[in-house]
Amino acid sequence: MAIVDLPALYRAYTACLNAQAWDALARFVAADVVHNGRTLGFAGYRNLIRGNYRDIQDLRFDVALVTADPPHLAARLRFDCTPKASFLGLPVNGKRVQFFEHAFYRFEGGRIAEVWSVIDKAAIESQL
Amino acid sequence: MAIVDLPALYRAYTACLNAQAWDALARFVAADVVHNGRTLGFAGYRNLIRGNYRDIQDLRFDVALVTADPPHLAARLRFDCTPKASFLGLPVNGKRVQFFEHAFYRFEGGRIAEVWSVIDKAAIESQL
């Protein structure tokens, strides 16, 4: 495997998400990507994240901390946003909330092949 | 700083927790440790985890994935346990539940100086 700067690659991936540059996303995500144990595939994964941006119009991935240990990378992501309706089953309904997501990624051939993600739902609940 | 094998150190730390070897814990945790933004200090941190073992008698830290990028380490922790009463505000009441915690650690001088932790509360809810 070629030497890849995973943190730089990861920041380019989040920049791609924040730009909602859906046509460029395949550069970063494998065709058979697995998310929390489910094989979503590229189209399913893109739809998942597009749906997040549709439901949360001011959504922005903000990388608070990233640790790389190839082929894995872990990211602490900060969110400060306004979900329109319900989010994670919670009645957020346009309230601005701050919370973190902790996600692990496995890269393969320079693309994200697997994601394990946990969102701090308790933090959101405490703000409602 | 001396070269430290953070994954080995981290596994020794979780073994210490699982052995409930509270007297040995100071080897792994800094005196002024910070947990999710709060300065608990060593005694406060030990009390927090002792309380978890008291409330969940079959508690066991199982390291599913660990990534090290000194001075940081991230761990995906698997739990399969039976909280006696309520846990994270949920009425678990002796039901066996499986869930993950994603935690980031910053080490300083070979000890855990800061922890950022997110527990998958939604996964527990879905099992009740």
Side-chain angles (χ1 to χ4, degrees), chain A residues 22-41:
Chain A
W22 307 115
D23 290 344
L25 192 59
R27 199 189 129 200
F28 302 102
V29 178
D32 55 352
V33 64
V34 176
H35 180 269
N36 284 346
R38 282 199 307 150
T39 302
L40 292 185

Side-chain angles (χ1 to χ4, degrees), chain A residues 7 36 65-69 72-76 88 90 100-105 116-122 125, chain B residues 7 36 65-69 72-76 88 90 100-105 116-122 125:
Chain A
N36 284 346
L65 178 63
V66 63
T67 69
D69 188 354
H72 294 102
L73 177 146
R76 173 166 159 87
L88 304 178
L90 297 173
F100 287 90
E101 174 181 357
H102 286 185
F104 289 83
Y105 303 82
W116 299 268
S117 151
V118 176
I119 295 173
D120 194 351
K121 183 174 178 178
E125 281 173 326
Chain B
N36 284 347
L65 177 63
V66 62
T67 69
D69 188 355
H72 293 102
L73 177 146
R76 172 165 160 88
L88 305 179
L90 297 173
F100 288 90
E101 175 181 357
H102 286 185
F104 288 84
Y105 303 83
W116 300 267
S117 152
V118 176
I119 295 174
D120 194 352
K121 183 174 179 179
E125 280 173 326

Side-chain angles (χ1 to χ4, degrees), chain B residues 46-63:
Chain B
R46 186 178 56 186
N47 284 343
L48 177 73
I49 299 186
R50 279 181 93 146
N52 292 150
Y53 277 94
R54 208 160 38 228
D55 298 340
I56 309 173
Q57 303 221 329
D58 58 355
L59 183 62
R60 206 190 129 70
F61 284 69
D62 179 12
V63 180

